[in-house]
Amino acid sequence: MPRLLTLAGAQTGPIQRADTRAHTLDRLIALLEQAARAGAQLVVFPELPLTTFFPRWFIENTQELDTYFEREMPNANCQKLFDRARELKVGFYLGYAELTPEGQRFNTAITVGPDGQILGKYRKIHLPGSVEPRAGSRFQQLEKRYFEYGDLGFPAFRGAPEWNRPVMGMLICNDRRWPEGWRVYGLQGVELMVMGYNSAAYDPNGGESESAELRTYHSTMAAQSNAYMNATWAVSVAKAGDEDGSGLIGGSCIVSPNGLVVAQAKTLADEVIVAEIDLDDCLQGKEKMFNFAQHRRPQWYGRIVDQVGAEAPE
Amino acid sequence: MPRLLTLAGAQTGPIQRADTRAHTLDRLIALLEQAARAGAQLVVFPELPLTTFFPRWFIENTQELDTYFEREMPNANCQKLFDRARELKVGFYLGYAELTPEGQRFNTAITVGPDGQILGKYRKIHLPGSVEPRAGSRFQQLEKRYFEYGDLGFPAFRGAPEWNRPVMGMLICNDRRWPEGWRVYGLQGVELMVMGYNSAAYDPNGGESESAELRTYHSTMAAQSNAYMNATWAVSVAKAGDEDGSGLIGGSCIVSPNGLVVAQAKTLADEVIVAEIDLDDCLQGKEKMFNFAQHRRPQWYGRIVDQVGAEAPE
């Protein structure tokens, strides 16, 4: 008997700095409702969809910085989304900037069940960018300044009974390019990876750079290949388009355990993609080609944990 | 100043069980000469190109099994290839079944420099298949029976001075689907990965199975994505076509550190693909997106070495 689940990716267009929180939340709710009408039981939103991608600016004023962060989840600013989702019996993956009671800041994502309960929480481990601003740059990438490295590891968890209890994992943006995170989830039997991202479409400072097309290809390939090599379904969802003068790629996609794209966004705007998946499609890979118990040889993988940077032979 | 190197992949069509060793060697030499005429300084041959892919049969007679193995390298059976390569000042990657003086058997590859010296040796770590034959199957996959697991790790080495001394790594066939091996090489700064393969085009026993097209896509994607995620060039070369009644995919390719295919075989026969590459194209990835020293977080990768098989949450 197949283990079916209908999934949606809710790509958003740009969320401008000037947009109100209430306006943005209404957009997310509209996407949720559209996905629910298409039968989706789980909706994946992007990384940091409640605000603009603020790490592109050097913000020295802590009060201003705090406006981008959530002190609890849910909170008054996004309760409406949680309420509407529970009403529709739809779960969701949501990224947000987290400020803990102890004053720690993380780039975080949660997965919420159809009953409104938080099923899993993840804090981004592979933070890109820098701590110090680059002098003379119009735009920064200051995730390493504004966030601490995730401290929860890669904790797989079970999805809701209504979803056939898939083993789920979460990643955020840059994490999706790092096979280590995928493999740690793979070693927990992941069947469904959910991920949001904000990825630059070009170098906003005009340096030598890849095209938006190449960057979208990399984004899709990272999802395809890591889904294949871990025999899991994956949903990878963008905030896209021209956000406050800085371009973001789209390309949100749903990918099978064979590494095939089964749905992909066509625009750089608010757009819902949907697929009905069978979680048991993971079995062929997990039992044959990627049967880890039969084929892995960890005694030769030591450098992966013993070493951070590369060390070339003489 | 660019660090240029002209590479070739020398895909072979099938090597039938009835083919003589001398005939097969002449085919390999012809491919080497064709590659040299096209300017290649390094030619990558497939996995086990000196014979048919014998692990598809259950061979109980040790004397018969031994005919597929090389007791030293080079030896009288393939000296002519080594001599011609040195004459042409062309290096090569060659796979072979190795029988050591101590009686150990490995699925092995070497890289030979333009002066005929062996620069590096690798023994396949990710052996697919099974130890015991599958009852009632027309074809087997008995690599786990005929070979011991590679015992040399993933040892990066420097290529020849004439090649601009790239940091090189070798993998064999199924290894290319395992991101762990790639990453161990990545952590040694690999700039050029060379790999040969024999991959089934379909399930010869007629089970539910992927198409040859999907299998070729997986093979190419494994090279593309792992080259990208480790910011390295890669050459992946097939033995292709209908070999002793069993189909092998082709799709030999040369892939850039951006994960783009720059040359790919079009046939399932003897075919040379060539590309001039700049090793310094690896720098952008190694210094930015995949700057391991800046971005990796090994304290969260422990399961990769602590665990062999998958362990799902309750």
Side-chain angles (χ1 to χ4, degrees), chain B residues 37-60:
Chain B
R37 282 194 300 274
Q41 300 164 273
L42 169 59
V43 179
V44 180
F45 290 108
E47 176 194 37
L48 300 174
L50 300 173
T51 67
T52 187
F53 186 76
F54 62 90
R56 70 166 66 89
W57 296 294
F58 180 35
I59 302 168
E60 292 182 274

Side-chain angles (χ1 to χ4, degrees), chain A residues 194-241:
Chain A
V194 287
M195 319 181 275
Y197 59 94
N198 285 250
S199 292
Y202 51 84
D203 181 346
N205 301 307
E208 188 190 358
S209 188
E210 299 100 6
S211 67
E213 185 187 12
L214 180 60
R215 289 163 186 253
T216 306
Y217 163 74
H218 285 158
S219 176
T220 305
M221 176 175 68
Q224 291 177 285
S225 60
N226 286 297
Y228 167 64
M229 294 188 293
N230 292 283
T232 180
W233 286 94
V235 187
S236 187
V237 178
K239 172 136 59 76

Side-chain angles (χ1 to χ4, degrees), chain A residues 11-14 31 197 216 238-241 248-252 264-273:
Chain A
Q11 176 176 294
T12 72
L31 288 164
Y197 59 94
T216 306
K239 172 136 59 76
L248 297 170
I249 60 166
S252 303
Q264 187 151 31
K266 293 175 180 64
T267 71
L268 297 177
D270 290 12
E271 179 177 352
V272 171
I273 56 173

Side-chain angles (χ1 to χ4, degrees), chain A residues 2-8 32 39-44 85-86 88-94 110-120 157-170 191-192 194 233 276-280:
Chain A
R3 293 165 61 219
L4 301 178
L5 168 60
T6 301
L7 290 172
L32 182 89
Q41 300 164 275
L42 169 59
V43 179
V44 180
R86 194 169 51 183
L88 294 167
K89 297 192 174 58
V90 172
F92 58 94
Y93 162 106
L94 182 73
I110 49 174
T111 294
V112 177
D115 59 356
Q117 296 302 305
I118 294 176
L119 298 172
F157 60 99
R158 287 277 179 184
E162 296 88 335
W163 308 342
N164 284 302
R165 303 192 73 238
V167 179
M168 294 184 63
M170 291 186 277
E191 298 171 300
L192 175 58
V194 287
W233 286 94
E276 185 187 56
I277 70 168
D278 181 354
L279 295 162
D280 282 348

Side-chain angles (χ1 to χ4, degrees), chain B residues 113-128:
Chain B
D115 59 356
Q117 295 303 304
I118 293 176
L119 298 172
K121 180 171 180 170
Y122 172 73
R123 289 168 169 162
K124 186 173 182 176
I125 285 179
H126 297 101
L127 295 175

Side-chain angles (χ1 to χ4, degrees), chain B:
Chain B
M1 206 169 70
R3 292 167 60 220
L4 301 178
L5 168 59
T6 302
L7 288 173
Q11 176 175 292
T12 71
I15 313 288
Q16 310 298 350
R17 198 171 188 168
D19 291 344
T20 66
R21 287 278 201 141
H23 172 73
T24 301
L25 202 71
D26 283 345
R27 279 171 64 187
L28 300 186
I29 290 169
L31 288 165
L32 183 89
E33 290 173 340
Q34 185 187 336
R37 282 194 300 274
Q41 300 164 273
L42 169 59
V43 179
V44 180
F45 290 108
E47 176 194 37
L48 300 174
L50 300 173
T51 67
T52 187
F53 186 76
F54 62 90
R56 70 166 66 89
W57 296 294
F58 180 35
I59 302 168
E60 292 182 274
N61 181 323
T62 301
Q63 264 188 308
E64 182 189 346
L65 187 64
D66 283 356
T67 65
Y68 294 108
F69 281 78
E70 317 301 312
R71 290 171 188 269
E72 51 188 351
M73 188 54 74
N75 61 50
N77 277 329
C78 50
Q79 186 64 51
K80 218 171 128 185
L81 172 66
F82 281 71
D83 291 346
R84 186 65 181 130
R86 194 169 50 183
E87 215 169 67
L88 294 167
K89 297 192 174 60
V90 172
F92 58 94
Y93 162 106
L94 182 73
Y96 63 100
E98 177 186 12
L99 176 55
T100 72
E102 297 75 29
Q104 290 188 287
R105 295 169 191 276
F106 297 101
N107 190 341
T108 298
I110 49 172
T111 294
V112 177
D115 59 356
Q117 295 303 304
I118 293 176
L119 298 172
K121 180 171 180 170
Y122 172 73
R123 289 168 169 162
K124 186 173 182 176
I125 285 179
H126 297 101
L127 295 175
S130 59
V131 174
E132 296 306 324
R134 293 193 296 179
S137 287
R138 183 171 168 215
F139 293 109
Q140 305 292 334
Q141 211 311 9
L142 291 171
E143 286 193 57
K144 282 192 200 288
R145 182 180 196 87
Y146 298 138
F147 301 119
E148 296 184 40
Y149 291 106
D151 61 354
L152 302 175
F154 300 100
F157 60 99
R158 287 278 179 182
E162 295 88 335
W163 306 343
N164 283 302
R165 303 191 75 238
V167 179
M168 294 184 63
M170 290 186 278
L171 294 170
I172 301 177
C173 195
N174 186 41
D175 284 318
R176 73 196 188 285
R177 306 181 203 268
W178 295 84
E180 291 93 338
W182 286 86
R183 187 57 109 219
V184 172
Y185 281 123
L187 285 162
Q188 297 168 82
V190 67
E191 298 172 301
L192 175 59
M193 189 76 85
V194 287
M195 320 183 275
Y197 60 94
N198 285 252
S199 293
Y202 51 84
D203 181 345
N205 300 307
E208 189 191 358
S209 188
E210 299 100 5
S211 67
E213 185 187 12
L214 180 59
R215 289 163 187 252
T216 306
Y217 163 73
H218 286 159
S219 177
T220 306
M221 177 175 68
Q224 291 178 285
S225 60
N226 286 297
Y228 167 64
M229 294 189 292
N230 292 283
T232 182
W233 287 94
V235 186
S236 188
V237 178
K239 174 136 57 77
D242 184 340
E243 189 175 84
D244 288 312
S246 187
L248 297 170
I249 61 167
S252 303
C253 56
I254 302 175
V255 170
S256 79
N258 260 324
L260 298 174
V261 172
V262 299
Q264 188 152 29
K266 293 174 179 64
T267 71
L268 296 178
D270 290 11
E271 179 178 350
V272 171
I273 55 173
V274 181
E276 184 187 55
I277 70 168
D278 181 355
L279 295 162
D280 282 348
D281 287 354
C282 302
L283 286 176
Q284 165 140 340
K286 289 190 192 299
E287 291 177 353
K288 293 183 181 172
M289 186 74 83
F290 299 108
N291 184 322
F292 293 165
Q294 278 182 29
H295 301 310
R296 293 181 77 250
R297 305 292 293 164
Q299 59 268 53
W300 302 112
Y301 307 155
R303 280 184 194 266
I304 293 172
V305 294
D306 294 341
Q307 208 175 303
V308 182
E311 297 170 9
E314 287 297 301

